């Protein structure tokens, strides 16, 4: 293998050190196999052109709502693979030796702080931008991963960064070498771009979030603020790049010819486009997944790239336009599901008779770590609130209180209650002063200022929310199950048991009334004919 030859050219201590750094990532066996597969058999070095081909992306068809931006992005993708190879894998002479190959991998995918990984990602973006002949006002003080950055990013630059990360994630997920007529779906991530604009723009920047075109915004976002926003809002964004490098090297090992296409049954563009009609579109599901560094992120990623439309619909537990509005219809579809749940609420700011307010639609969400329960008190152990559209923000638990979820139905029995509890669904706040409250008819939702809530972090769920409660008309409600196939199967078993019990309660055991002597009818007739007669109970 290449390692045995390189030990004669480099000190053994240097080789052991770089192999130890690569082994800390868990990728050393993969790197050994990839080097053996790509290295020239005579020189035992890896040609740089082989790595450029390994990382190349050549998607011929970009499915996107903004064709003008897609044209520039296509040029960017054409230069991504060569930029990665030239930036990290630098040969001293001829091809890459085993140590140089390992050193390049450690530079781009080694174990390092999140801030350094983000710097590496932006360096890849800047190098690709320059190679494509595009203008970017971003400067690096040195070639070190922890160097300082200066300059600005435009909203269109931020959109390109997110699309580049989506493409690397999609490609790494499907493990395809793009050659020939390949296509990729670019989701709508304007909510994420506008979130960066809202958080990073200089004071005084007035943006109408409901009616703006990302490509027309000429706002400058300081790169320092953008780095801080990325690390706090979407900390898993850098994983898209590292997973892409892993997947590409793995494909080099498994494919007979690195230039051939490696097909995958995972992911279907038609299913992904169909998913875009839901409140939880692929772009929004991918955005939420970037806020996690846990296993639940994988469940969101499955919704971004389902195998088929049936798999996506299987996780949709409730949709008001499909299953009917109201708390009872909601409960009949989610009862028995014990797993994480995401509830999304789409509402309209303004009066329903005002047709001009249709563009001021917003979407908020709440993530619970357990199923809903019928209780007249708050419950739950953890959860998140989300501003989904038109801007994206995540509000984690504050740790001060535990009023995560409230879900209360009408009592089954007619019992007098001097102080009846609210009937509906709520998140955060206190009883009667909830941060989010959905009424029992699913007609209106009330969003209050974060000052009433000590459970979730502070922040506005709606742009320009203000201090007064916002009461809006509900347009749509969706509930997505994130507990995997096991949670869905448990819910199906629960529903079957409930149906069986209901059917048993409806049936009358006629054997109990088969004898006339024991029937209630004969007893009533005997009492009417002779009330003083001695009954069997008195004998």
């Amino acid at each position: 293998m290449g390692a045995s030859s390189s030990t004669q050219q480099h000190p053994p201590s240097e080789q052991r050190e770089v192999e130890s750094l690569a082994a800390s990532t868990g990728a050393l066996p993969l790197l050994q196999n990839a080097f053996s597969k790509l290295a020239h058999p005579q020189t035992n070095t890896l040609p740089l052109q082989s790595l450029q081909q390994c990382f190349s992306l050549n998607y011929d068809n970009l499915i996107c709502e903004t064709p003008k931006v897609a044209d520039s992005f296509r040029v960017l993708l054409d230069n991504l693979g060569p930029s990665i190879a030239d930036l990290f894998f630098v040969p001293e002479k001829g091809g890459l030796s085993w140590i140089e190959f390992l050193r390049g991998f450690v530079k781009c995918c080694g174990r390092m702080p999140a801030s350094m990984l983000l710097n590496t990602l932006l360096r890849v973006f800047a190098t690709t931008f320059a190679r494509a002949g595009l203008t970017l006002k971003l400067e690096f003080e040195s070639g070190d991963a922890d160097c300082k950055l200066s300059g600005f990013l435009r909203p269109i630059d931020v959109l390109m960064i997110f699309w580049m990360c989506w493409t690397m994630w999609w490609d790494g997920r499907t493990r395809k070498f793009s050659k020939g007529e390949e296509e990729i779906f670019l989701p709508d991530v304007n909510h994420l771009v506008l979130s960066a604009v809202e958080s990073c723009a200089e004071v005084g920047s007035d943006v109408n979030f409901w009616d703006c075109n990302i490509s027309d915004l000429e706002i400058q976002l300081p790169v320092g603020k953008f780095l801080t926003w990325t690390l706090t809002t979407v900390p898993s964004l850098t994983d898209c790049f590292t997973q892409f490098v892993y997947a590409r090297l793995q494909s080099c090992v498994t494919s007979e010819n690195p230039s051939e296409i490696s097909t995958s049954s995972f992911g279907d563009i038609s299913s992904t486009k169909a998913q875009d009609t839901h409140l939880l579109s692929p772009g929004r599901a991918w955005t939420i997944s970037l806020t996690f560094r846990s296993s639940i992120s994988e469940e969101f990623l499955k919704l971004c790239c389902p195998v088929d439309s049936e798999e996506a619909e299987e996780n949709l537990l409730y949709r008001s336009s499909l299953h009917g509005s109201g708390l009872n219809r909601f409960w009949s579809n989610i009862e028995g599901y014990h797993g994480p749940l995401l509830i999304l609420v789409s509402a309209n700011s303004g009066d329903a008779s005002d047709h001009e307010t249709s563009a001021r639609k917003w979407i908020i969400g709440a993530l619970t770590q357990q199923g809903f329960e019928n209780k007249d008190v708050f419950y739950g152990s953890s959860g998140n609130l989300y501003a989904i559209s038109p801007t994206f923000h995540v509000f984690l638990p504050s740790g001060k209180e535990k009023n995560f979820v409230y879900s209360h139905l009408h009592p089954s029995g007619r019992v007098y209650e001097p102080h009846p509890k609210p009937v509906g669904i709520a998140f955060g706040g206190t009883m009667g002063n909830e941060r989010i409250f959905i009424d029992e008819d699913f007609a209106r939702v009330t969003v209050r200022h974060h000052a009433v809530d000590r459970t979730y972090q502070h922040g506005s769920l709606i742009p320009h929310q203000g201090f007064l409660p916002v009461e809006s008309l509900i347009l749509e409600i969706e509930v997505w199950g994130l507990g995997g196939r096991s949670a869905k199967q448990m819910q199906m078993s629960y529903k079957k048991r409930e149906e069986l019990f209901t059917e048993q309660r409806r049936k009358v055991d006629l054997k109990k009334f088969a004898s006339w002597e024991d029937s209630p009818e004969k007893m009533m007739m005997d009492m009417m004919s002779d009330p003083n007669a001695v009954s069997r109970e008195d004998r």
Side-chain angles (χ1 to χ4, degrees), residues 26-269:
L28 186 58
L30 171 63
L31 296 174
Q32 291 172 340
N33 294 332
F35 188 86
S36 299
K37 190 69 174 291
L38 298 175
H40 195 279
Q42 296 180 352
T43 62
N44 205 24
T45 58
L46 197 157
L48 186 60
Q49 294 78 5
S50 298
L51 275 182
Q52 292 177 347
Q53 178 65 30
C54 178
F55 296 126
S56 291
L57 290 171
N58 299 310
Y59 286 102
D60 296 323
N61 186 17
L62 301 182
I63 303 174
C64 173
E65 297 179 354
T66 53
K68 293 183 179 180
V69 180
D71 293 338
S72 301
F73 185 67
R74 182 179 288 105
V75 178
L76 194 71
L77 289 186
D78 292 340
N79 292 273
L80 179 60
S83 298
I84 294 175
D86 296 344
L87 184 60
F88 300 106
F89 300 93
V90 182
E92 293 182 358
K93 51 184 178 179
L96 286 166
S97 66
W98 167 243
I99 289 184
E100 291 167 348
F101 176 64
L102 288 181
R103 190 181 293 119
F105 177 83
V106 171
K107 285 175 62 178
C108 64
C109 300
R111 295 175 63 89
M112 62 184 79
S115 58
M116 294 175 63
L117 287 172
L118 185 55
N119 276 15
T120 301
L121 177 63
L122 290 183
R123 190 185 295 275
V124 171
F125 178 73
T127 303
T128 307
F129 228 66
R131 191 183 183 98
L134 303 176
T135 304
L136 186 67
K137 298 180 180 179
L138 196 62
E139 296 181 358
F140 295 82
E141 290 188 355
S142 66
D144 299 332
D146 58 348
C147 71
K148 293 184 179 180
L149 279 72
S150 60
F152 299 90
L153 291 171
R154 300 171 301 164
I156 189 63
D157 299 332
V158 177
L159 176 62
M160 294 284 192
I161 292 174
F162 292 144
W163 272 355
M164 184 184 75
C165 292
W166 164 272
T167 304
M168 290 190 294
W169 169 81
W170 175 279
D171 187 89
R173 191 83 172 180
T174 57
R175 295 184 181 180
K176 290 181 178 180
F177 282 98
S178 303
K179 182 184 177 183
E181 296 184 357
E182 292 293 329
E183 63 179 7
I184 184 171
F185 170 74
L186 298 178
D188 180 8
V189 291
N190 287 349
H191 56 283
L192 199 53
V193 178
L194 292 177
S195 176
V197 171
E198 185 179 19
S199 303
C200 305
E202 299 291 346
V203 178
S205 301
D206 188 14
V207 179
N208 183 1
F209 296 107
W210 281 281
D211 185 20
C212 67
N213 190 343
I214 299 297
S215 58
D216 295 336
L217 292 178
E218 295 297 334
I219 301 174
Q220 292 184 336
L221 309 179
V223 66
K225 290 186 176 181
F226 177 76
L227 292 173
T228 302
W229 173 85
T230 303
L231 292 174
T232 55
T233 306
V234 284
S236 298
L237 185 67
T238 56
D239 293 345
C240 299
F241 173 61
T242 56
Q243 292 172 4
F244 168 75
V245 174
Y246 273 82
R248 281 287 169 150
L249 292 176
Q250 181 65 45
S251 296
C252 290
V253 174
T254 56
S255 63
E256 295 182 2
N257 188 341
S259 62
E260 293 180 353
I261 300 174
S262 176
T263 58
S264 172
S265 61
F266 186 92
D268 179 57
I269 288 183

Side-chain angles (χ1 to χ4, degrees), residues 344-465:
L344 298 178
V345 180
S346 172
N348 204 340
S349 294
D351 190 5
S353 61
D354 187 3
H355 299 288
E356 296 181 357
T357 61
S358 59
R360 299 180 67 85
K361 184 179 73 173
W362 45 265
I363 303 174
I364 58 177
L367 177 71
T368 67
Q369 297 296 333
Q370 61 197 60
F372 285 95
E373 303 177 34
N374 183 13
K375 291 186 175 182
D376 59 359
V377 294
F378 277 94
Y379 61 92
S381 57
S382 184
N384 298 338
L385 295 184
Y386 294 97
I388 304 293
S389 177
T391 63
F392 178 84
H393 296 285
V394 56
F395 306 100
L396 304 176
S398 64
K400 297 179 181 179
E401 288 185 353
K402 294 186 178 181
N403 293 348
F404 291 103
V405 190
Y406 174 89
S407 51
H408 181 48
L409 282 74
H410 272 298
S412 56
R414 294 185 178 181
V415 180
Y416 171 73
E417 295 182 273
H419 303 286
K421 300 296 179 66
V423 177
I425 301 174
F427 303 94
T430 56
M431 195 79 65
N433 219 17
E434 304 85 358
R435 188 167 180 179
I436 300 175
F437 182 78
I438 306 170
D439 66 8
E440 61 176 314
D441 297 324
F442 283 11
R444 292 184 176 272
V445 57
T446 303
V447 180
R448 292 183 173 86
H449 190 263
H450 58 74
V452 305
D453 183 21
R454 292 170 54 86
T455 301
Y456 298 98
Q457 292 178 348
H458 289 180
S460 298
L461 288 164
I462 310 169
H464 316 300
Q465 180 177 343

